[in-house]
Amino acid sequence: MAVQTVASTTESVDLGPAAALSCRECGHRVPLGPVFACEECFGPLEIAYDFSGYDTEELRKRIEAGPANIWRYAPLLPVPADVAGKPNLNPGWTPLVKADNLARELGVTGGLYVKDDSGNPTHSFKDRVVAQALEAARAFGFTTLSCSSTGNLAGAVGAAAARAGFRSCVFIPHDLEQGKIVMAAIYGGDLVGIEGNYDDVNRFCSELIGDPAGEGWGFVNVNLRPYYAEGSKTLAYEIAEQLGWRLPDQLVVPIASGSQLTKIDKGLQELIKLGLVEDKPYKIFGAQAEGCSPVSVAFKAGHDVVRPQKPNTIAKSLAIGNPADGPYVLDIARRTAGAVEDVTDEQIVDAIKLLARTEGIFAETAGGVTVGVTRKLIESGVLDPTKTTVVLNTGDGLKTLDAVAGTGLTATIRPNLDSFKEAGLV
Amino acid sequence: MAVQTVASTTESVDLGPAAALSCRECGHRVPLGPVFACEECFGPLEIAYDFSGYDTEELRKRIEAGPANIWRYAPLLPVPADVAGKPNLNPGWTPLVKADNLARELGVTGGLYVKDDSGNPTHSFKDRVVAQALEAARAFGFTTLSCSSTGNLAGAVGAAAARAGFRSCVFIPHDLEQGKIVMAAIYGGDLVGIEGNYDDVNRFCSELIGDPAGEGWGFVNVNLRPYYAEGSKTLAYEIAEQLGWRLPDQLVVPIASGSQLTKIDKGLQELIKLGLVEDKPYKIFGAQAEGCSPVSVAFKAGHDVVRPQKPNTIAKSLAIGNPADGPYVLDIARRTAGAVEDVTDEQIVDAIKLLARTEGIFAETAGGVTVGVTRKLIESGVLDPTKTTVVLNTGDGLKTLDAVAGTGLTATIRPNLDSFKEAGLV
């Protein structure tokens, strides 16, 4: 992995409480800039904050008086203080649904909640991370927003760039389904199909970043990744605030690269340190599809390293066979006394249907994974049904209709009462 | 149309400020119940409220302290005061997007906003109306929620019924696209395909209401229609509150049955009467597709009656050829000095793309109709670009992908820099 060498006048960059980039492995600090790998050890860089000077009760009041989107948490994010007035898609503040019907089916008595991110502007949690990357791109003077994607991210980048007045150029495998191409292309940016698979697309993007042709380009999930990733913290903030500034006992989070889970943990830790919630134990459970379960396999085997897999599952938004943050996920699951579990494609479909018929929430396959894993963990006694539990749905069923294509009509009748009565529905 | 004769103990029904049903034509009042047509003149019944005793500033504070969904307006809706604690999908409080990029393209200088209802639980404004019908169904002791539908409504009813613990049985033409069937079926209720067109489905539902087989059934858009329709008032409330308790100068609203437009006007009038906004003139513009433009044709011809059409347009969610509230729409457009206009399917597609590339909002065809009509009315000098204007997007582009199926890749390349540079995008 090549270290970024893009020069940028980062001295004057205002990204609010973001103070520097810090290596997750060796702690080496560098100024804020469009870099993602440590120049010392090649470890991943993440945002280091300066939260000193915050008064807990003032901060709480400021958040509660903020807008009904992620910018209510601007004091805790790498964004300027006036971010809410800038053109952005303003995602977040999605419902935390008290899922009493689902709780009854699963035998949960301690309170079960679904954090439903399908209401975001482009209907996935990706809007949260792209919103951060966009503000970083603005701060660094980038003019083009880019990414490699197989679906949700392409739409989120295209939409955010359109609204914020950035050019966008998004790279996808050329043979994606027509529906996904339409969703990514509709925002009018450039959408480039690459003859190859997702790995080829990723490799090409890394090449482009190092080339003069990529000058002025912010790749949200590459050179802007440290900023981008912080967006997932807002899920933790919202869950705690929506519970009345209280930590849940258990969280079930999907794993693709593992970044979301690690940032949710980071967000919860920040809330504790800032005194916004009581310091109490919580358990984080990671959820994968059996067809792409490298972290789950490592967890169960007691390994610290994650062995890559070749994905084969209907949960395509989670199908990252070599998850960059896999080892950190293992750390967090073990530190919090959680677990990592996986479910089959059949269990994913069953869980999508279960959530839909109990709570009226039509989840993406990733939501089927978390609900399915929740059920499995309850049945195996690993997840405690007497504790407050939050399950994440990070996407929208409308984007993965194929997974439940078998769902159909109960009956077909002629337009008269006799025919209806013969159908046996009354 | 047969008058409903369902008996119900409506004496003790608690639907908040809803005092009675009142005939829109002759003013005849009847107690709250699952009826929709006047027994005297067959005119449509609507809710009459008792808002006496409301103090303006107390009411404003109560609303502002309410939840981030339609139930903040519970004091103005036919629902019990404790509605927010009951299982419902809790739609609403969707973003009012300041559309500066679109304004620039259209030459609007007075402030242009898009009320984007695609963030609702099932991604259309139908969640607002179904939420009201559901509370009425609960109050009247119905156990099954039903409707006739060709799309959005089927999903909204299925989802709301699932969450609230009602059985649902929804009727659709049997030959709908597979995607729409999946979206309606996923919530686990009964979904019955009828061999016939939408008119046949409607006729069948009217028969079923009068039959013992339909006992205990609330048809949201038939016998619960007076309650259902009130949900559209919340669009007016939210727009005014989101503008800082101010009326916009101009609103562009889609017309299907015309109910939404008439209820938005009703909502704005209520806000004025309650003193929540300053009493000032506003203009309401109705928007139709040329391929289903009975109200627009009547408006332009100066007629008071609406002549039915056979719909032929990509804007299927607006394709009602004989709109029940058409004459009321004509009244409102004329009273407020607005207008009714229509656009071609080509203009609808252009407008969907325009909204997507300027604001990152992927609208349903109905949103293409309102944006397209806005552009047309500005060009013809009918809509004043120096005034504050709100355009409604009532649905989600993900549900009408076919309409923009031609949208696709900018380029296809091999996974290397040379191939990318040859594509001419840098």
Side-chain angles (χ1 to χ4, degrees):
Chain A
M1 180 164 51
V3 175
Q4 271 282 101
T5 56
V6 172
S8 183
T9 52
T10 53
E11 299 294 326
S12 61
V13 162
D14 172 18
L15 288 172
L21 292 172
S22 163
C23 176
R24 182 144 188 161
E25 289 299 326
C26 75
H28 179 68
R29 279 167 82 106
V30 292
L32 296 171
V35 291
F36 59 101
C38 178
E39 58 197 353
E40 299 287 328
C41 76
F42 299 97
L45 296 174
E46 62 174 3
I47 312 283
Y49 293 93
D50 177 8
F51 292 152
S52 64
Y54 283 166
D55 174 86
T56 302
E57 287 317 308
E58 265 174 35
L59 179 60
R60 191 196 310 274
K61 273 189 205 137
R62 189 170 149 193
I63 291 169
E64 289 176 350
N69 58 51
I70 53 170
W71 304 132
R72 63 200 286 116
Y73 306 109
L76 306 178
L77 295 169
V79 294
D82 62 349
V83 63
K86 294 176 187 280
N88 201 310
L89 287 183
N90 306 334
W93 203 240
T94 55
L96 182 71
V97 178
K98 182 103 193 299
D100 291 341
N101 299 327
L102 180 61
R104 262 191 302 277
E105 294 254 356
L106 298 183
V108 176
T109 56
L112 181 64
Y113 298 83
V114 175
K115 178 64 176 171
D116 183 14
D117 244 17
S118 63
N120 276 320
T122 71
H123 304 321
S124 89
F125 94 99
K126 291 289 185 191
D127 290 323
R128 296 178 184 271
V129 286
V130 170
Q132 314 296 320
L134 173 63
E135 293 307 323
R138 211 188 316 257
F140 298 137
F142 288 130
T143 51
T144 296
L145 221 56
S146 185
C147 70
S148 54
S149 171
T150 63
N152 283 333
L153 187 57
V157 167
R163 174 136 173 88
F166 282 66
R167 179 191 174 203
S168 72
C169 187
V170 167
F171 299 94
I172 58 173
H174 72 116
D175 55 358
L176 283 193
E177 303 93 300
Q178 180 60 20
K180 284 192 182 160
I181 290 178
V182 170
M183 278 186 246
I186 193 71
Y187 303 103
D190 286 320
L191 183 70
V192 178
I194 287 188
E195 290 169 0
N197 60 25
Y198 183 63
D199 286 336
D200 295 318
V201 177
N202 262 332
R203 237 185 329 265
F204 168 78
C205 287
S206 297
E207 255 192 278
L208 183 52
I209 289 175
D211 190 87
E215 212 170 300
W217 290 43
F219 288 78
V220 302
N221 54 347
V222 189
N223 58 352
L224 297 175
R225 190 168 185 85
Y227 309 89
Y228 167 91
E230 295 295 289
S232 291
K233 292 197 309 178
T234 60
L235 281 163
Y237 301 153
E238 290 182 17
I239 289 167
E241 184 178 354
Q242 288 170 326
L243 287 174
W245 294 111
R246 205 165 49 86
L247 295 179
D249 299 314
Q250 306 174 124
L251 296 100
V252 185
V253 181
I255 301 171
S257 74
S259 167
Q260 185 185 75
L261 188 147
T262 64
K263 296 304 177 184
I264 286 175
D265 178 60
K266 186 179 181 186
L268 296 176
Q269 290 295 321
E270 287 173 353
L271 293 179
I272 292 171
K273 276 180 208 131
L274 288 162
L276 287 166
V277 297
E278 196 191 344
D279 186 1
K280 70 166 218 42
Y282 58 85
K283 298 183 181 185
I284 298 190
F285 298 87
Q288 295 206 294
E290 190 184 87
C292 182
S293 53
V295 189
S296 169
V297 166
F299 180 86
K300 291 176 190 174
H303 294 163
D304 291 332
V305 292
V306 171
R307 198 162 147 184
Q309 290 183 2
K310 199 173 154 64
N312 178 21
T313 169
I314 56 168
K316 293 193 196 305
S317 64
L318 302 183
I320 296 183
N322 188 13
D325 283 0
Y328 303 123
V329 168
L330 292 172
D331 283 352
I332 292 166
R334 286 170 182 145
R335 170 170 58 74
T336 66
V340 185
E341 187 51 275
D342 56 77
V343 281
T344 66
D345 282 1
E346 195 184 337
Q347 289 170 319
I348 294 169
V349 171
D350 283 351
I352 290 174
K353 291 180 183 173
L354 173 64
L355 181 61
R357 80 173 156 78
T358 52
E359 302 298 341
I361 296 171
F362 183 17
E364 213 214 272
T365 43
V369 169
T370 50
V371 171
V373 161
T374 303
R375 174 150 68 177
K376 190 168 174 182
L377 289 172
I378 290 170
E379 285 166 2
S380 61
V382 176
L383 197 137
D384 184 345
T386 69
K387 303 283 190 184
T388 307
T389 304
V390 175
V391 180
L392 268 66
N393 172 41
T394 53
D396 199 294
L398 284 181
K399 294 195 184 184
T400 55
L401 283 175
D402 289 351
V404 288
T407 313
L409 296 173
T410 315
T412 304
I413 64 168
R414 293 180 304 284
N416 63 63
L417 287 171
D418 285 346
S419 181
F420 178 57
K421 287 168 188 171
E422 279 163 25
L425 298 173
V426 281
Chain B
M1 180 164 53
V3 175
Q4 273 282 97
T5 55
V6 173
S8 183
T9 52
T10 54
E11 298 296 325
S12 61
V13 162
D14 172 17
L15 288 172
L21 292 171
S22 162
C23 175
R24 183 143 187 162
E25 290 298 326
C26 75
H28 179 69
R29 280 168 82 106
V30 293
L32 296 171
V35 291
F36 59 101
C38 178
E39 59 197 352
E40 298 288 327
C41 77
F42 299 97
L45 296 174
E46 62 174 3
I47 311 284
Y49 293 94
D50 177 8
F51 292 153
S52 63
Y54 282 167
D55 173 86
T56 303
E57 288 317 308
E58 266 174 36
L59 179 59
R60 192 195 310 275
K61 273 189 203 135
R62 189 170 150 192
I63 290 170
E64 289 176 350
N69 58 50
I70 53 171
W71 304 133
R72 63 200 287 114
Y73 306 109
L76 307 179
L77 294 169
V79 294
D82 62 350
V83 64
K86 295 176 187 282
N88 200 311
L89 287 183
N90 306 335
W93 203 240
T94 56
L96 183 70
V97 177
K98 183 101 193 299
D100 291 341
N101 299 328
L102 180 62
R104 261 191 302 278
E105 294 253 358
L106 298 182
V108 176
T109 56
L112 181 64
Y113 298 82
V114 175
K115 179 63 175 171
D116 183 14
D117 244 17
S118 64
N120 276 320
T122 71
H123 304 321
S124 88
F125 94 100
K126 291 290 185 189
D127 290 323
R128 297 177 183 271
V129 287
V130 170
Q132 314 297 320
L134 173 63
E135 294 307 322
R138 206 180 330 248
F140 298 137
F142 288 130
T143 50
T144 296
L145 222 55
S146 184
C147 70
S148 53
S149 171
T150 63
N152 283 332
L153 187 58
V157 166
R163 173 130 174 92
F166 281 67
R167 179 193 174 202
S168 72
C169 186
V170 167
F171 299 94
I172 58 173
H174 72 115
D175 55 357
L176 282 192
E177 303 93 300
Q178 181 59 19
K180 285 193 181 159
I181 290 178
V182 171
M183 279 185 245
I186 194 71
Y187 303 102
D190 286 320
L191 182 69
V192 177
I194 288 189
E195 292 169 359
N197 60 26
Y198 183 63
D199 286 336
D200 295 319
V201 177
N202 261 331
R203 237 185 330 265
F204 168 78
C205 287
S206 297
E207 255 191 279
L208 183 52
I209 289 175
D211 190 88
E215 212 170 301
W217 289 42
F219 288 78
V220 300
N221 54 348
V222 189
N223 58 352
L224 296 174
R225 189 166 186 88
Y227 309 90
Y228 166 91
E230 295 294 289
S232 292
K233 292 196 309 177
T234 59
L235 281 163
Y237 301 154
E238 290 183 16
I239 289 167
E241 184 179 354
Q242 288 170 325
L243 287 174
W245 294 110
R246 205 164 49 84
L247 295 179
D249 300 314
Q250 305 174 124
L251 297 100
V252 185
V253 181
I255 301 171
S257 73
S259 167
Q260 185 186 75
L261 188 148
T262 63
K263 296 303 176 184
I264 286 175
D265 179 61
K266 186 180 181 186
L268 296 176
Q269 290 295 321
E270 286 173 354
L271 293 179
I272 292 171
K273 276 181 207 128
L274 289 160
L276 287 165
V277 297
E278 196 191 343
D279 186 1
K280 69 167 221 38
Y282 58 83
K283 297 182 181 185
I284 299 190
F285 299 86
Q288 296 206 294
E290 189 184 87
C292 183
S293 53
V295 189
S296 169
V297 166
F299 180 84
K300 291 176 190 175
H303 294 163
D304 291 331
V305 292
V306 171
R307 201 162 146 181
Q309 290 183 1
K310 200 173 155 62
N312 179 21
T313 169
I314 57 168
K316 293 192 197 304
S317 64
L318 302 183
I320 297 183
N322 188 13
D325 283 0
Y328 302 125
V329 168
L330 292 172
D331 283 352
I332 292 165
R334 287 172 183 144
R335 171 171 58 72
T336 66
V340 184
E341 186 52 273
D342 56 78
V343 281
T344 65
D345 282 1
E346 196 185 335
Q347 290 170 319
I348 294 169
V349 171
D350 284 350
I352 290 173
K353 291 181 182 171
L354 173 65
L355 181 61
R357 80 172 158 76
T358 52
E359 303 297 341
I361 296 171
F362 184 17
E364 213 214 275
T365 43
V369 169
T370 50
V371 172
V373 161
T374 302
R375 174 151 66 178
K376 190 169 174 181
L377 289 172
I378 290 170
E379 285 166 3
S380 61
V382 175
L383 196 137
D384 185 346
T386 69
K387 302 285 191 182
T388 306
T389 304
V390 175
V391 179
L392 267 68
N393 172 41
T394 52
D396 200 294
L398 285 180
K399 293 194 184 185
T400 54
L401 283 175
D402 289 349
V404 289
T407 312
L409 297 173
T410 314
T412 303
I413 64 169
R414 293 179 305 283
N416 63 61
L417 287 172
D418 285 346
S419 181
F420 178 56
K421 287 170 187 170
E422 278 163 25
L425 297 174
V426 282

